[in-house]
Amino acid sequence: DQQVKQNSPSLSVQEGRISILNCDYTNSMFDYFLWYKKYPAEGPTFLISISSIKDKNEDGRFTVFLNKSAKHLSLHIVPSQPGDSAVYFCAATADNAGNMLTFGGGTRLMVKP
Amino acid sequence: GAGVSQTPSNKVTEKGKYVELRCDPISGHTALYWYRQSLGQGPEFLIYFQGTGAADDSGLPNDRFFAVRPEGSVSTLKIQRTERGDSAVYLCASSLYPIATDTQYFGPGTRLTVL
C-alpha cells in the first residue's frame, strides 16, 4: 500500500511558466511533509518542507501548499527555469517515526527553454 | 564541508554473493538512514541508526540484509546471498538528530547490480 502517491510521472512546462507538482497521502499520522529534488546520478537534495500546522510555506520561487482535509500537497515553482528539470519526490514523516521518510514515486519535471 | 559519501558508486556481483556497501555521514550527525530505490520508484526506507544502535530496522526486507554502525559514524549495509531482485540504488542519508525538522542529507548512492 502506497502511503504517499505522486500520480503524474512526468510534467512538461515552458520556461517562465508555473510548474505545479501534486502529491497525495493516506496516513493521517503524517505531520511533516517535504519535497526533494533529484538529478541523475546524484542523491536527492532537500528543497522545501511544511509542518501540518501550516497550510503554506514559501521559499523564493518555491511554495508548498498543504490541504490536510484532502490529504493533498502541492509544490509550485514560479517562474520555472530549465535548471529546475529534475525528478521531484514528495515525502512525509510522523513525529514519532524517528524522521523515517516515506516517499512518493516521483514526478519528472522538464522545463523547456 | 563534506557531504555524505558512499562507496562504491557501482557494484556488480553475481547471484548468491555477499556484498558490503559503505556510508560516511556528515561529521557530527547522530542519525543515519539507509534507503533503497528501485527503477522508476521513490526511495524506500530500510533502517536507521541513532548513534551506534539500530533504532528502527522495520524496512529491511528479510534476514539477508544487515547493517552496522559500530562507532556511531560510518555505517555498512551488508547483503548476504544476493538475489537479482536486490538490484537497486542504495541511498544513505544523515541528519543531526532523528527529528522531522532536521534535514536529511543524502549521498549519491551505490548502484548494485546482481547478475
Side-chain angles (χ1 to χ4, degrees), chain B residues 2 10 14 25 29 38 51 53 73 107:
Chain B
N10 279 285
E14 293 180 343
H29 279 192
S38 299
S73 178

Side-chain angles (χ1 to χ4, degrees), chain A residues 12-19 79-83 110-113:
Chain A
S12 181
V13 299
Q14 205 67 37
E15 180 179 6
R17 306 296 291 268
I18 185 171
S19 297
S80 302
Q81 300 173 353
M110 292 162 282
V111 181
K112 295 184 283 189

